[in-house]
């Protein structure tokens, strides 16, 4: 019984991690390669991949190790570069609730790609949420660690040109973004079907609710893209992340009257089986709010 | 080569790991399961996933230079292809693989 649960979760999780395996084996290798070329021993990239497990920060740490010893600056830099994790955590509070012993690992191993999958995946019916997210986390983590080790070992000898393969991560993020964006239409249809059952709800309420559900996913997505684009153009590639997140927070606070409301009972980023459950919760909130 | 001693290097890696772990655990320490987060935080938890995916798209493209090299043309073509593919088939794997292979072909054979 337990085995079946674990097996089903693995079967559901593994295909979603395949693109990340490609990207991480390559990016991890390039990181291992870089460490090799800078004269670090094998265990440096492997241990850093294991303990830090935040790709961009590991690349930054290479520079830190090559300059003068300054642990305070290193610690503060790690906080700044990884500030986006705070947002991931806030986004996953609900999804990780009541998940039990797997929770600390899910939090520890939540890199960009793992967050992107776990926050958006449509977990099929009959698949255990905790095991699904655990497999996504474990697999992605080890793709990266193995990639770093391989990169150090192969030292630049590859049978074919992999130039451009790093685009796989852009493709991954963009596809998840599009899936959230386009999924919206289906979701609105589903939601209308559900809410259609409540007879006697005023037409105006329904229209407002529908608009809110629609805006509920497209507007945040647009805010994310536009705020970060604006900061990227204004501040350049090395300093735009923290200001982007600050700008997003301000915009979301300003837009709260339009975006926040019991009518938007949709679960972030997911459509399908899971939405039914959270949609019902939204309905209860709505009743409670009256 | 490293300018610091091995133990200084280990300490540097340790504080970086600690800082990273802190950013990941902080929201869960502030709002444990037993404590219902304030409405504002629940609202942010609802809108942020969409916005953060948008940020990640921009983040992954941050080093593309419009002024030099291929002027971002291979990226633009591949992004357009991914949008069309995903609009057409809605298959994550097809969109990702199609876009990546197209990009590799473009940077290796067309925009060399």
């Amino acid at each position: 019984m337990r085995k079946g649960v674990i097996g089903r979760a693995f079967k559901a999780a593994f295909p979603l991690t395949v693109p990340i395996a490609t990207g991480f084996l390559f990016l991890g290798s390039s990181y291992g390669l870089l460490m090799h070329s800078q004269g670090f021993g094998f265990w440096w990239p492997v241990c850093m991949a294991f303990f830090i497990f935040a790709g961009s920060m590991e690349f930054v740490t290479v520079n830190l190790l090559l300059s003068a010893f300054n642990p305070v600056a290193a610690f503060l830099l790690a906080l700044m570069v990884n500030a986006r994790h705070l947002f991931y955590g806030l986004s996953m509070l609900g999804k990780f609730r009541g998940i039990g012993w797997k929770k600390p690992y899910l939090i520890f191993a939540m890199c960009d790609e793992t967050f992107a999958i776990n926050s958006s995946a449509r977990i099929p019916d009959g698949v255990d949420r905790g095991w699904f997210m655990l497999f996504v986390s474990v697999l992605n983590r080890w793709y990266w660690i193995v990639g770093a080790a391989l990169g150090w070992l192969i030292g630049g000898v590859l049978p074919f040109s992999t130039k451009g393969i790093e685009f796989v991560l852009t493709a991954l993020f963009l596809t998840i973004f599009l899936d959230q964006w386009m999924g919206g239409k289906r979701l609105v249809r589903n939601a209308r079907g559900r809410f259609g059952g409540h007879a006697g709800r005023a037409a105006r309420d329904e229209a407002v609710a529908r608009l809110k559900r629609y805006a509920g996913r497209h507007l945040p997505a647009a805010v994310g893209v536009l705020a970060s684009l604006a900061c990227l153009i204004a501040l350049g590639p090395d300093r735009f992340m923290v200001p982007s997140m600050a700008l997003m927070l301000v915009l979301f606070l300003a837009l709260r009257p339009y975006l926040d409301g019991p009518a938007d009972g949709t679960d972030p980023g997911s459509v399908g089986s899971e939405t039914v459950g959270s949609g019902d919760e939204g309905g209860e909130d709505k009743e409670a709010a009256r | 080569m490293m300018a610091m001693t091995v133990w200084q290097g280990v300490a540097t890696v340790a504080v970086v790991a600690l800082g990273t772990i802190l950013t990941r655990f902080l929201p869960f320490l502030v709002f444990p399961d037993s404590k219902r987060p304030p409405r504002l935080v629940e609202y942010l938890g609802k809108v942020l996933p969409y916005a953060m995916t948008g940020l990640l798209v921009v983040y992954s493209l941050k080093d593309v230079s419009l002024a030099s090299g291929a002027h971002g043309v291979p990226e633009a073509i591949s992004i357009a292809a991914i949008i069309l593919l995903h609009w057409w088939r809605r298959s994550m794997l097809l969109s990702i693989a199609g876009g990546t292979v197209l990009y590799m072909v473009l940077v290796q054979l067309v925009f060399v």
Side-chain angles (χ1 to χ4, degrees), chain A residues 38 40 61-68, chain B residues 1-4:
Chain A
Q38 299 295 324
F40 290 92
T61 309
V62 181
N63 292 335
L64 291 178
L65 289 172
L66 294 171
S67 23
Chain B
M1 268 314 276
M2 270 208 293
M4 46 181 88

Side-chain angles (χ1 to χ4, degrees), chain A:
Chain A
M1 183 64 203
R2 196 169 161 78
K3 262 219 155 99
V5 169
I6 298 173
R8 271 202 303 279
F10 183 81
K11 268 186 212 144
F14 176 69
L16 293 179
T17 69
V18 170
I20 293 159
T22 324
F24 272 15
L25 286 175
F26 176 76
L27 275 178
S29 299
S30 58
Y31 162 67
L33 218 69
L34 174 70
M35 290 293 279
H36 191 224
S37 69
Q38 299 295 324
F40 290 92
F42 176 73
W43 291 106
W44 282 99
V46 174
C47 287
M48 283 165 68
F50 188 91
F51 288 110
I52 302 176
F53 190 56
S56 46
M57 194 57 217
E58 285 164 39
F59 279 100
V60 173
T61 309
V62 181
N63 292 335
L64 291 178
L65 289 172
L66 294 171
S67 23
F69 181 54
N70 189 344
V72 177
F75 181 72
L76 292 177
L77 197 65
L79 291 183
M80 296 281 285
V81 171
N82 292 314
R84 65 189 186 286
H85 293 149
L86 297 171
F87 283 41
Y88 297 166
L90 289 182
S91 307
M92 297 306 272
L93 283 175
K95 291 218 164 186
F96 288 175
R97 192 169 290 145
I99 217 85
W101 60 268
K102 303 182 192 79
K103 191 170 166 179
Y105 187 86
L106 291 177
I107 299 171
F108 170 70
M110 191 161 53
C111 63
D112 300 330
E113 294 74 10
T114 299
F115 164 77
I117 293 187
N118 279 343
S119 69
S120 70
R122 281 164 248 163
I123 302 171
D125 284 330
V127 170
D128 182 77
R129 191 166 52 103
W131 280 104
F132 174 90
M133 295 196 291
L134 187 71
F135 277 126
V136 171
S137 308
V138 170
L139 286 169
N140 288 349
R141 186 166 137 81
W142 282 95
Y143 296 147
W144 178 262
I145 297 170
V146 170
L150 280 180
W152 193 93
L153 291 172
I154 56 175
V157 195
L158 272 179
F160 59 95
S161 171
T162 52
K163 190 181 172 203
I165 203 172
E166 69 279 1
F167 192 76
V168 72
L169 289 179
T170 306
L172 170 80
F173 294 141
L174 178 64
T175 305
I176 289 174
F177 181 83
L178 292 171
D179 214 57
Q180 288 177 336
W181 186 279
M182 294 173 181
K185 285 173 200 153
R186 264 175 290 162
L187 191 91
V188 168
R189 232 177 7 245
N190 290 346
R192 277 172 71 186
R194 265 204 325 277
F195 284 100
H198 298 265
R201 185 149 294 171
R204 196 175 63 99
D205 267 10
E206 171 67 25
V208 169
R210 210 186 318 153
L211 194 70
K212 275 193 172 172
R213 279 197 296 275
Y214 188 78
R217 58 174 48 225
H218 288 167
L219 207 55
V223 164
V225 171
L226 296 177
S228 35
L229 257 186
C231 291
L232 174 63
I233 292 165
L235 302 166
D238 298 325
R239 279 174 304 175
F240 82 104
M241 287 290 276
V242 174
S244 303
M245 291 184 283
L247 180 59
M248 266 184 226
L249 267 187
V250 171
L251 288 171
F252 281 136
L253 291 180
L255 290 169
R256 191 175 174 198
Y258 306 96
L259 287 173
D260 195 13
D264 180 22
T266 53
D267 205 25
S270 65
V271 281
S273 55
E274 267 206 317
T275 354
V276 178
S278 53
D280 291 339
E281 278 165 37
E284 279 163 27
D285 282 355
K286 185 161 188 163
E287 297 309 321
R290 272 152 202 272

